[in-house]
Amino acid sequence: MKNQSVQIFKALSDLNRLRTLKILQSRPLCVCEITEILGLATSTVSQHLKILKEAGFIVEEKEGKWVNYMINPRPSDPRISSILSSLDFWIADEKIIIKDKEKVMNINRHTICF
């Protein structure tokens, strides 16, 4: 089993995973919405989501035909909550993060997910 600290740092070591965390702080999203916002392949997004989930940053919840990904409201490791609450301090002013946030506000799963 991987050391929890290593899993946390691995999850944070990729810009697309940081982008994913920031967009999920806005609201829960499905894979196709995350894929559309990030402009990545579905398989790539799925791999990023797996790493974030294994580290404890996100959870998934089934809602009808949708699987929604969201920030973990009750992580077992308090370091996760601490990191999530300080993400704005580190990356909120990055241009790509700002653009992603705008996309989240305008995305509609009913028009992009098939």
Side-chain angles (χ1 to χ4, degrees), residues 69 97 108:
Y69 291 87
I97 299 297
N108 180 344

Side-chain angles (χ1 to χ4, degrees), residues 4-23:
Q4 181 66 18
S5 295
V6 172
Q7 273 190 306
I8 289 170
F9 284 112
K10 178 180 179 180
L12 299 172
S13 69
D14 184 274
L15 175 60
N16 290 313
R17 288 193 286 274
L18 291 173
R19 290 173 67 196
T20 301
L21 289 174
K22 286 304 297 167
I23 62 176

Side-chain angles (χ1 to χ4, degrees), residues 53 55-59 70-77 80-81 84:
K53 187 177 171 188
F57 283 100
I58 64 171
V59 293
M70 62 201 73
I71 296 295
N72 186 347
R74 291 176 293 286
S76 58
D77 188 328
I80 299 290
S81 296
L84 288 169

Side-chain angles (χ1 to χ4, degrees), residues 23 27-40 42 45 65-66 68 103-114:
I23 62 176
R27 66 181 172 100
L29 298 164
C30 66
V31 173
C32 59
E33 291 170 311
I34 297 167
T35 300
E36 181 76 16
I37 293 166
L38 300 181
L40 300 172
T42 304
V45 169
K65 71 176 189 170
W66 310 106
N68 294 313
K103 290 178 186 177
V104 169
M105 300 314 198
N106 297 311
I107 201 150
N108 180 344
R109 68 177 54 181
H110 299 288
T111 60
I112 61 167
C113 305
F114 304 107

Side-chain angles (χ1 to χ4, degrees), residues 35-52:
T35 300
E36 181 76 16
I37 293 166
L38 300 181
L40 300 172
T42 304
S43 59
T44 303
V45 169
S46 294
Q47 187 61 33
H48 287 312
L49 291 170
K50 178 183 175 205
I51 292 167
L52 290 170

